[in-house]
């Protein structure tokens, strides 16, 4: 049911456009008086202007004396041409029976309008424009009727009865141009565009359904600049701005892609910056580079913009800037006294003081001492463990008893006070 309603809607729009074009297809609407239009390859009837219907006249071509049609043809003030072609174009003169010139008709041939080719795109999320071109050259004066309406989920009949959905005229900007602009569109809505081509032989309509999300294509970024980075022979700094047509709002942002190449190389390298600037770190030292940038909606709606105008830049060839060590200070030499006749005062010297500077940081000294203490402790612990293992695994004597170590007592047990007297052979060594 919805498809049949949609087809009926298309037919009604085409019929309405044809009626509009028919009302505007008279000679006064398309050219000066006396101009008549016809389709090549078809029969055509010319009418003598200023003569009452049925009054017999004679027809001649301008500049020729040959009679094309006499007053006795029974056709009255009309001249019938069968299957006209380009050779039939020109000026025709009609005369009354007394030889007076009663009218002049200029014949121009062409073709009826065909459905135009229409495309739309949005440079931002609030407005969009549509452009068109003829799919067939008619050779005749042509006008375009443009309008649009907002599509809804309602049926076709309900949409026609709902004034909030249109249709509204799509203003051509500038008037007569092959472009119309819709202002204040809704980013999440769909629209139906009507472009009707009209010429003196009829009208033809093209309907196009669009949504801003699908036709969004920002304008290229502006103000691209490429600068060298002093002291870095392989770096270039590129910066740019949002296009003026894109309203900067926190809800609709742009993302960018950047391409660059040395001028001698055809292949481009691509980066995706996160902001409005980027540092190229692999430029070829000493060679000029070409840089360009494009933009797209941050959420990938629509397509990428066209590339911006190219900008050129050459990496710096100088040495890197001199870095001042942390904690060091520049010592200025004593200023010389300015003499009265001295033209300019002497400036402080930027040469470093030849006296040695103490670059040690108190925190660094504490860290070094702590590290030395830890390593010393670990060394002593490792030595004690090694000695313990050696004592445990040392070889034993022939009788199987362990040899006395340096920890064994040097005084026999029987010599100790209060100890029982044992034979010499029974001395026990601990």
């Amino acid at each position: 049911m919805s498809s049949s309603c949609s087809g009926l809607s298309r037919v009604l729009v085409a019929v309405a456009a044809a009626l509009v074009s028919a009302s505007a297809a008279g000679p006064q609407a398309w050219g000066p008086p006396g101009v008549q239009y016809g389709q090549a390859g078809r029969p055509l009837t010319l009418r003598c202007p200023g003569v009452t219907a049925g009054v017999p006249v004679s027809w001649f071509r301008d500049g020729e004396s040959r009679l094309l049609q006499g007053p006795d043809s029974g056709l009255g003030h009309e001249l019938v041409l069968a299957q006209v072609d380009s050779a039939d174009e020109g000026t025709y003169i009609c005369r009354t029976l007394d030889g007076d010139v009663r009218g002049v008709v200029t014949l121009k041939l062409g073709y009826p309008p065909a459905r135009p080719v229409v495309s739309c795109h949005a440079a931002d999320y609030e407005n969009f424009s549509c452009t068109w071109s003829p799919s067939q050259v008619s050779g005749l004066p042509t006008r375009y009727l443009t309008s649009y309406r907002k599509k809804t989920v309602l049926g076709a009949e309900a949409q026609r009865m709902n004034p909030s959905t249109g249709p509204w005229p799509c203003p051509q900007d500038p008037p007569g141009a092959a472009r119309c602009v819709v202002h204040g569109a809704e980013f999440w809505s769909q629209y139906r565009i009507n472009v009707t081509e009209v010429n003196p032989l009829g009208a033809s309509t093209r309907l196009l359904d669009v949504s801003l999300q699908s036709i969004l294509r920002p304008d290229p970024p502006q103000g691209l600049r490429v600068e060298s980075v002093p002291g870095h022979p392989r770096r270039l700094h590129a910066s740019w701005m949002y296009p003026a047509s894109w309203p900067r709002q926190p809800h609709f942002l742009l993302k960018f892609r950047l391409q660059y190449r040395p001028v001698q190389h055809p292949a481009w390298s691509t980066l995706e910056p996160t902001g409005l600037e980027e540092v190229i770190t692999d430029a070829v030292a000493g060679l000029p580079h070409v840089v360009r940038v494009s933009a797209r909606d941050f959420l990938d709606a629509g397509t990428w913009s066209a590339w911006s105008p190219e900008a050129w830049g050459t990496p710096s060839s100088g040495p890197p800037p001199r870095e001042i060590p942390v904690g060091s200070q520049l010592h200025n030499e004593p200023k010389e006294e300015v003499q009265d006749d001295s033209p300019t005062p002497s400036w402080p010297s930027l040469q470093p003081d030849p006296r040695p500077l103490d670059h040690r940081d108190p925190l660094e000294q504490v860290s070094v001492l702590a590290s030395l203490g830890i390593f010393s402790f670990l060394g002593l612990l490792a030595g004690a463990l090694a000695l313990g293992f050696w004592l445990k695994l040392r070889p034993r004597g022939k009788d199987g008893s362990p040899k006395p170590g340096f920890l064994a007592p040097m005084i026999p047990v029987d010599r100790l006070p209060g100890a029982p007297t044992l034979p010499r052979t029974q001395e026990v060594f601990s």
Side-chain angles (χ1 to χ4, degrees), residues 107 150 176 217 250 286 424:
L107 175 62
K150 185 169 67 173
R217 191 188 188 196
R424 278 295 202 184

Side-chain angles (χ1 to χ4, degrees), residues 26-332:
Q28 298 295 335
W30 291 104
V35 178
Q36 189 169 337
Y37 301 94
Q39 181 177 351
R42 296 290 184 88
L44 179 70
T45 299
L46 297 179
R47 295 175 178 81
C48 183
V51 175
T52 305
V55 176
V57 295
S58 300
W59 287 92
F60 301 87
R61 289 288 296 266
D62 186 25
E64 298 179 4
S65 59
R66 180 174 61 92
L67 178 66
L68 299 178
Q69 180 177 294
D72 55 350
S73 62
L75 299 177
H77 71 301
E78 297 178 342
L79 171 64
V80 178
L81 301 176
Q83 200 171 359
V84 295
D85 55 25
S86 58
D88 295 317
E89 286 187 313
T91 303
Y92 293 79
I93 300 174
C94 53
R95 299 176 182 270
T96 59
L97 296 177
D98 55 6
D100 294 337
V101 176
R102 298 303 304 269
V104 177
V105 179
T106 301
L107 175 62
K108 292 185 177 181
L109 301 179
Y111 299 93
R115 297 173 66 187
V117 178
V118 183
S119 62
C120 301
H121 97 278
D124 56 60
Y125 52 85
E126 296 178 342
N127 313 282
F128 69 92
S129 62
C130 297
T131 58
W132 55 85
S133 60
S135 57
Q136 175 183 327
V137 178
S138 66
L140 301 177
T142 303
R143 298 172 184 169
Y144 292 91
L145 307 177
T146 54
S147 62
Y148 72 98
R149 69 182 308 144
K150 185 169 67 173
K151 295 185 64 178
T152 63
V153 296
L154 302 176
E157 185 66 26
Q159 288 191 41
R160 286 196 297 271
M161 300 300 294
N162 187 1
S164 63
T165 61
W168 305 285
C170 183
Q172 299 179 18
D173 184 22
R179 177 176 180 265
C180 72
V181 181
V182 176
H183 297 284
E186 297 176 358
F187 187 75
W188 307 108
S189 298
Q190 289 189 340
Y191 295 87
R192 171 162 291 179
I193 308 300
N194 180 341
V195 179
T196 301
E197 181 177 323
V198 184
N199 71 14
L201 301 182
S204 182
T205 298
R206 169 79 69 176
L207 299 177
L208 181 65
D209 293 338
V210 300
S211 64
L212 262 69
Q213 299 178 58
S214 61
I215 64 174
L216 183 63
R217 191 188 188 196
D219 290 333
Q222 299 177 344
L224 176 61
R225 297 179 59 186
V226 181
E227 300 172 326
S228 61
V229 180
H232 296 277
R234 299 202 61 188
R235 294 189 179 185
L236 288 171
H237 178 262
S239 61
W240 56 90
M241 297 183 297
Y242 268 62
S245 59
W246 186 271
R248 292 198 62 177
Q249 300 291 339
H251 307 294
F252 295 92
L253 301 177
L254 291 177
K255 65 178 183 179
F256 304 93
R257 64 178 177 179
L258 180 142
Q259 287 190 339
Y260 61 97
R261 63 176 177 86
V263 292
Q264 291 89 344
H265 297 267
W268 293 91
S269 299
T270 304
L271 295 174
E272 291 192 2
T274 57
L276 295 174
E277 60 181 352
E278 180 68 17
V279 176
I280 300 171
T281 59
D282 59 348
V284 181
L287 294 182
H289 288 64
V290 183
V291 181
R292 62 185 185 181
V293 64
S294 64
R296 188 177 183 177
D297 175 72
F298 187 76
L299 299 177
D300 290 332
T303 58
W304 286 98
S305 73
W307 290 105
S308 67
E310 296 177 348
W312 287 38
T314 304
S316 173
S317 58
R322 177 173 171 270
E323 296 183 358
I324 302 176
V326 178
S328 65
Q329 298 179 353
L330 291 178
H331 296 268
N332 298 332

